[in-house]
Amino acid sequence: MKVARFHAPGDIRLEEAPRPQGDLVIRVRNCSTCGTDAKILRHGHHRLRPPRVLGHEIAGEVVGSGERVQVIAAIPCGTCPDCRRGRLTVCPNQESMGYDYDGGFAEYMAIPDKVVAVGGVNRIPDGVSYAEASVAEPLACVLNGQELARVGEGDDVVIMGAGPIGCLHVRLARARGANRVFLVDVNQERLAMAADLVQPDAVIDDSAVEQVLKLTGSRGADVVITAAASGQAQEQAIRMAARQGRISFFGGLPKDDPIIACDSNLVHYRELTIVGANGSSPAHNAQALELIASGQVPVADLITHRLPLDRVLDGIDLVSRGEAIKVTIEP
């Protein structure tokens, strides 16, 4: 079979490999690309020991039974104190597809027993395509983030970042009953492309704090989600949040520049809540599939590019340059 295998930063090769063996093997039908794939291509990852097949947004067909399934990316151990208390997203022993195990940029892949043990293989509902099912993993992460930030009925929500994650945040916020959703990005072309698809109530490409305050009658936003790896966005989020507002630091910052300036008095006097968001649980993945199947969170139109496996580098490049919303690979 063919695989796209990472050997070193800047070095992903399309190679021949033997078909994998195991109790559960799938024929990969779609594996969508992610900003994380672009980061790995440029810099590698401390947990990734090459050579490694990348790809963690996975949907395929079980060899033998033909059952259509979606596979989780983040694998909690299921047995540590955090997992036993239901905190699977912060499992200290977490492993990941495409990092610790070969991922979905391949024609076939073996599903580790650990994934099955934590309920990480989900049946794809009828009417949901493989491509749509591959988007369930990032949607699961978005669902975790919005649960932690308590997005709900009547909220004014600001999404900072108009990439695929930002678009999913807009759609999910509406599904959760948000009053208005504003989309912010400094890349005007990407903002226009995203806004054309997800139709936010307003788009903002400059002076974000001032514009949000103007749109909300100086009150500020109930929820601000930073779906971008930007310290400036996190600092702005604190300044644009309403009293008792909730702020989600959804996008992590570069390891060499993780410190921001926080006006602690704004947090204190406005009674702000700042939460992180780290991945998703197996249950979030199952919920994401149901949100897609029910039509509450449409994702098909967010898939702007479909490429064969031998063009995986083109797909990652499109993601890096912000010229696509969602790119899916069809091995």
Side-chain angles (χ1 to χ4, degrees), residues 37-217:
D37 299 319
K39 291 178 187 175
I40 291 172
L41 176 58
R42 288 196 301 270
H43 308 295
H45 192 277
H46 69 278
R47 280 197 1 242
L48 193 155
R49 296 181 180 178
R52 175 66 72 210
V53 178
L54 301 184
H56 58 271
E57 300 181 5
I58 303 158
E61 179 183 349
V62 176
V63 173
S65 73
E67 186 173 10
R68 301 183 330 124
V69 296
Q70 179 262 353
V71 182
I72 63 172
I75 312 164
C77 72
T79 59
C80 70
D82 284 305
C83 285
R84 290 200 302 269
R85 297 179 73 179
R87 301 172 180 171
L88 279 69
T89 57
V90 291
C91 170
N93 307 313
Q94 184 184 96
E95 295 180 307
S96 298
M97 301 303 300
Y99 294 71
D100 304 283
Y101 302 95
D102 282 342
F105 292 154
E107 292 181 307
Y108 293 86
M109 63 175 291
I111 308 302
D113 292 341
K114 288 182 178 181
V115 174
V116 178
V118 295
V121 181
N122 296 297
R123 188 186 70 79
I124 299 173
D126 294 341
V128 176
S129 70
Y130 286 113
E132 290 171 299
S134 72
V135 184
E137 191 279 330
L139 178 56
C141 298
V142 167
L143 178 59
N144 177 45
Q146 292 206 13
E147 286 181 349
L148 288 165
R150 307 192 311 278
V151 176
E153 291 286 339
D155 284 336
D156 280 342
V157 180
V158 175
I159 311 297
M160 305 187 76
I165 291 294
C167 289
L168 289 171
H169 270 299
V170 172
R171 290 246 164 108
L172 182 62
R174 292 204 187 285
R176 291 175 66 90
N179 175 38
R180 295 181 297 175
V181 185
F182 308 134
L183 186 60
V184 180
D185 203 298
V186 296
N187 184 327
Q188 294 183 355
E189 292 183 2
R190 182 168 67 176
L191 180 60
M193 179 171 53
D196 186 56
L197 288 170
V198 299
Q199 298 291 309
D201 293 281
V203 295
I204 301 168
D205 61 13
D206 191 27
S207 304
V209 176
E210 291 79 4
Q211 291 299 317
V212 168
L213 292 177
K214 182 178 179 181
L215 286 163
T216 59

Side-chain angles (χ1 to χ4, degrees), residues 240-271:
M240 68 175 65
R243 287 169 173 78
Q244 291 196 352
R246 289 93 67 201
I247 299 155
S248 171
F249 286 174
F250 188 92
L253 300 185
K255 296 288 190 295
D256 60 353
D257 190 21
I259 308 300
I260 67 167
C262 170
D263 185 337
S264 181
N265 277 338
L266 287 179
V267 178
H268 174 69
Y269 288 110
R270 293 185 185 177
E271 296 187 353

